[in-house]
Amino acid sequence: MNAVLSIARTTLGEAIRRRVLLVILLIALLLLVIAPGMNGLTARQSQTVLLSLILGVLQLSSAVIAIVLTVYMIPNEVERRTIYTILSKPVLRWQFLLGKYLGAVSALGLMIMLMTGTMIAVFAAFQGPNVETLASLARVAMMYFVQMCLLAAVAIFFSTFVQPVVNFFLSGGVYLVGTVFGSLFATIAESQQLPQLVRLAAQLVMLIVPNFGQYNVQNSVINSGAQIVGEGIYYTNLAVYGIVYISILLLGAMLIFDRREV
Amino acid sequence: MSLAIETIDLVKTYKHRGGASNTVVDNLNLQVESGEIFGFLGPNGAGKTTTIKMLLGIIGQTSGVANVLGREAGDIEIHKRISYLPEKPYYYEYMSGLELVIFYASLFGIRDNDRCKELLRRVNLANDMNRPLSTYSKGMQQRVGLAQSLINNPELLFLDEPTGGLDPIAHIEIRDLILQFREEGKTVFISSHELSDVERICDRVAIINKGQLVAQGRLTDLLAGGRVEVTAEGVSDAVSDSLRHENRIVSFKDGRLILDAPDSDDLNGMIDALRNGGAQVVSVIPRRKRLEDLFIEAVAEDDTAKGRQRGRMTDGNSDGTKSAEVEEVKTGEGDPS
Ligand SMILES: Nc1ncnc2c1ncn2[C@@H]1O[C@H](COP(=O)(O)OP(=O)(O)O)[C@@H](O)[C@H]1O
Ligand SMILES: [Mg+2]
């Protein structure tokens, strides 16, 4: 466990110094800060618009950071041969992979925390410190974090057998299918007009691709009317779903990585 | 005699897409004794790094046996007793030298910052251990790599091209450190294509070319067969004639004699004869065979042998040249000198 944590800490240290990530983070922070400038709406409308805008920025930049952070993680270690010094120590491959994943997730957590903090401060400054709304913003950010941990697990799984650039589009594609195109696939799977085969294929995609969409809980905040029934249980289920899915992906990644020539 | 490393018919074949395959390490048989500095020599692409990776268990062999410290290569227990310095290493640049060594120590579960500092002092990085690695020169990076590789007080060190790309001063620093390792009873396995340092520090060497062993043995044996050149003045014709021998090359003009003899020849006898005959010995120059010569010979012979093999594929006796050569080296190895 010692080794896993050391590798995680090193990975975190490296990740928070990666220039690409810092640039993405900086752009996101900038967008969050200037978001309230888009005014000219009624107070009620402007709150709705502002909320969807800043939450959109948070989610999109978190997703980009999650993917960019993880797709190069293992390939870089091989290219720079740092992996050889580590694996020549009493470190097993699964420990290495787990350490890398935990490091990535901590870096993600840190960056999402920074963005969320900025977002909440900006919102409070322009719409007044409404404790309830601020708390639910934090809750949405938490769910985004779980979503991004799942996305990072997808990317690290792919990184054990595909090249970074391919992985970028693959993981990005999986994320899109699991979020925005989720309902499209659901419609196809349900549609009676379409051939059986197409419906089956859509069902299969829905079964394999993680359900990222369920973590998009922003509507409950944006439209203050929309309430989630049994909120506590819903969030717990989401967390459990995430942990189970992440475990399966990491286990798969470990099995592949263990057999791979590095 | 206990063996720190032993490979038996070790083979690594890479399969390429489309069915082609490339045998990078070909039936390699190495024996490295405990406590020796062993040079693993070969031109670029000979298969040195691949062999080391197999010995570390980072990649698997296609066939054959690789034993390290009496166990199968890759055994995690063995990893506690060995260490590895990769070729052209790169470290997490944001770290300082000290942080890097602390990181590698933690992979062993060692939490002893004083020991880490001590190791850095040992490689002469006392004043630079808190600077980020991105500001280190190549030689300093290599030294921090050596400090890192000592953290578990290893019995066996694998150093892949440890002096590659270093300036002469950095070369010497690394070489001196390696010599200290031997004093401490460690076994050191060094791969290199630069022969000059290896020549001075290795007890035994193996030379590989295109994945095949072309020579293995004690350096003194492999380098035997050098010559010595004696120059004298005021030599009489009679003395000059008395020194002629079928193994010697004598050039004699106006009383000046240059005698080129095998170093196994009776040097004292020759000098006595010259001095007793009233001659003045001007110089005695040993012309030892250099490792370079041996290396070039071995690699060239191997290549021509292969060429011949290819040309004589059908005559069924194509292996003769090469195995005889290896045999010759093997007999030399047992010979104490
Ligand atoms: N993963 C790999 N796949 C295919 N060929 C490889 C691989 N790794 C090394 N090789 C080939 O193996 C040969 C030996 O490489 P290497 O062991 O690095 O040589 P050396 O360290 O002696 O310079 C080279 O021709 C190299 O191209
Ligand atoms: Mg090499």
Side-chain angles (χ1 to χ4, degrees):
Chain A
M1 213 53 211
N2 231 321
V4 174
L5 293 181
S6 293
I7 293 166
R9 201 174 323 118
T10 313
T11 307
L12 170 65
E14 241 203 333
I16 57 173
R17 285 174 181 83
R18 273 197 46 203
R19 233 165 266 149
V20 213
L21 296 178
L22 293 180
V23 168
I24 300 171
L25 190 65
L26 213 71
I27 294 172
L29 292 177
L30 201 73
L31 285 176
L32 288 174
V33 172
I34 62 166
M38 312 190 163
N39 238 323
L41 298 154
T42 66
R44 172 96 190 125
Q45 276 174 320
S46 93
Q47 167 150 341
T48 312
V49 171
L50 181 61
L51 276 171
S52 24
L53 195 63
I54 56 181
L55 285 171
V57 168
L58 176 65
Q59 189 177 19
L60 185 68
S61 32
S62 302
V64 174
I65 289 173
I67 295 178
V68 173
L69 175 66
T70 34
V71 293
Y72 282 103
M73 222 158 52
I74 309 273
N76 270 353
E77 286 277 346
V78 175
E79 193 179 314
R80 299 176 315 192
R81 288 178 289 273
T82 37
I83 189 173
Y84 302 141
T85 32
I86 294 174
L87 291 183
S88 68
K89 310 274 187 249
V91 174
L92 294 162
R93 288 190 177 205
W94 69 263
Q95 295 176 313
F96 175 78
L97 203 78
L98 185 61
K100 281 273 143 195
Y101 178 72
L102 292 179
V105 160
S106 346
L108 255 175
L110 219 67
M111 294 184 188
I112 290 178
M113 228 143 72
L114 186 65
M115 288 190 282
T116 306
T118 310
M119 177 181 79
I120 287 177
V122 166
F123 189 80
F126 285 85
Q127 303 285 331
N130 176 344
V131 178
E132 208 175 300
T133 316
L134 297 186
S136 39
L137 273 179
R139 214 164 31 235
V140 173
M142 268 297 276
M143 286 301 112
Y144 285 175
F145 174 61
V146 182
Q147 188 184 49
M148 298 315 156
C149 290
L150 185 51
L151 179 55
V154 169
I156 215 167
F157 172 75
F158 285 137
S159 82
T160 56
F161 58 93
V162 299
Q163 296 299 310
V165 179
V166 180
N167 191 358
F168 183 86
F169 291 105
L170 206 55
S171 299
V174 166
Y175 182 68
L176 286 180
V177 169
T179 50
V180 286
F181 298 139
S183 50
L184 175 69
F185 277 90
T187 317
I188 296 173
E190 239 94 287
S191 167
Q192 296 301 319
Q193 278 97 314
L194 290 166
Q196 180 80 11
L197 203 68
V198 176
R199 273 187 289 151
L200 269 176
Q203 276 163 11
L204 193 70
V205 168
M206 285 178 61
L207 193 72
I208 295 173
V209 171
N211 187 353
F212 288 109
Q214 59 187 336
Y215 294 96
N216 293 349
V217 291
Q218 60 271 38
N219 283 346
S220 66
V221 189
I222 297 172
N223 313 311
S224 42
Q227 271 299 322
I228 294 174
V229 204
E231 236 183 0
I233 296 173
Y234 186 74
Y235 286 132
T236 314
N237 281 347
L238 284 187
V240 171
Y241 176 91
I243 290 168
V244 170
Y245 219 115
I246 288 167
S247 309
I248 293 170
L249 283 167
L250 289 184
L251 226 67
M254 286 166 185
L255 285 175
I256 297 169
F257 192 58
D258 212 40
R259 280 158 184 70
R260 207 189 88 171
E261 301 259 288
V262 287
Chain B
M1 178 192 88
S2 75
L3 289 178
I5 299 172
E6 184 180 31
T7 71
I8 303 166
D9 297 332
L10 190 63
V11 175
K12 180 71 190 180
T13 302
Y14 283 111
K15 293 213 166 39
H16 297 292
R17 270 184 213 126
S21 68
N22 180 13
T23 297
V24 170
V25 174
D26 194 358
N27 278 300
L28 190 63
N29 291 287
L30 292 178
Q31 290 92 34
V32 178
E33 286 162 37
S34 288
E36 71 179 350
I37 300 186
F38 189 89
F40 191 44
L41 304 171
N44 281 323
K48 304 182 293 294
T49 300
T50 307
T51 304
I52 292 178
K53 282 187 193 166
M54 283 192 278
L55 291 171
L56 293 166
I58 290 174
I59 58 173
Q61 65 263 43
T62 308
S63 65
V65 178
N67 286 328
V68 175
L69 298 177
R71 293 215 202 182
E72 212 176 305
D75 188 319
I76 206 80
E77 285 305 308
I78 292 301
H79 283 186
K80 293 178 183 164
R81 296 159 57 200
I82 64 173
S83 77
Y84 169 48
L85 182 65
E87 141 184 53
K88 297 192 211 85
Y90 167 100
Y91 302 106
Y92 304 106
E93 287 205 323
Y94 73 88
M95 290 184 170
S96 70
L98 181 59
E99 284 169 334
L100 185 86
V101 177
I102 290 173
F103 164 64
Y104 282 113
S106 72
L107 298 182
F108 289 96
I110 299 172
R111 285 172 200 279
D112 185 349
N113 293 3
D114 288 338
R115 177 170 164 73
C116 296
K117 285 179 194 160
E118 180 51 43
L119 288 174
L120 284 158
R121 273 194 285 274
R122 192 172 159 192
V123 297
N124 299 327
L125 287 173
N127 298 323
D128 303 291
M129 61 170 81
N130 291 312
R131 265 169 46 191
L133 289 166
S134 52
T135 66
Y136 278 30
S137 69
K138 260 191 174 167
M140 289 163 79
Q141 294 227 358
Q142 203 62 294
R143 278 184 279 145
V144 90
L146 279 177
Q148 162 279 122
S149 74
L150 291 172
I151 191 71
N152 56 329
N153 193 18
E155 293 162 47
L156 169 62
L157 289 100
F158 291 92
L159 310 177
D160 197 356
E161 311 255 1
T163 54
L166 298 184
D167 61 58
I169 294 176
H171 252 168
I172 294 168
E173 285 173 343
I174 300 287
R175 213 184 56 206
D176 291 348
L177 282 166
I178 294 169
L179 283 172
Q180 286 175 25
F181 298 165
R182 176 168 50 193
E183 298 295 303
E184 293 164 21
K186 300 185 190 307
T187 311
V188 187
F189 186 89
I190 307 178
S191 92
S192 184
H193 68 272
E194 290 176 51
L195 310 167
S196 48
D197 343 282
V198 175
E199 176 166 16
R200 271 172 244 165
I201 58 178
C202 289
D203 303 304
R204 291 196 315 134
V205 298
I207 300 177
I208 66 164
N209 186 36
K210 295 178 183 152
Q212 293 183 334
L213 188 71
V214 286
Q216 177 171 224
R218 205 164 278 285
L219 256 185
T220 41
D221 297 338
L222 291 179
L223 295 177
R227 300 186 74 84
V228 62
E229 189 185 282
V230 180
T231 308
E233 279 170 359
V235 184
S236 67
D237 289 4
V239 171
S240 164
D241 285 342
S242 76
L243 287 169
R244 286 184 196 276
H245 188 272
E246 56 176 320
N247 288 332
R248 300 174 186 163
I249 303 163
V250 177
S251 99
F252 179 58
K253 199 182 175 212
D254 301 336
R256 184 183 170 89
L257 175 98
I258 300 173
L259 191 88
D260 182 355
D263 62 4
S264 54
D265 209 333
D266 176 18
L267 182 61
N268 272 332
M270 291 187 280
I271 291 171
D272 286 348
L274 284 166
R275 295 187 55 188
N276 293 338
Q280 184 84 25
V281 176
V282 180
S283 69
V284 179
I285 304 169
R287 298 221 185 277
R288 215 160 77 96
K289 202 197 265 180
R290 288 171 313 143
L291 195 52
E292 260 84 356
D293 306 329
L294 181 75
F295 188 69
I296 291 162
E297 262 169 41
V299 170
E301 269 176 43
D302 186 46
D303 285 349
T304 47
K306 287 245 186 61
R308 260 178 268 140
Q309 265 184 48
R310 231 171 280 126
R312 302 191 315 190
M313 252 348 176
T314 44
D315 80 10
N317 188 27
S318 53
D319 241 332
T321 346
K322 204 185 72 66
S323 48
E325 183 190 340
V326 173
E327 207 49 56
E328 177 191 74
V329 172
K330 286 253 171 76
T331 38
E333 183 191 326
D335 222 314
S337 63

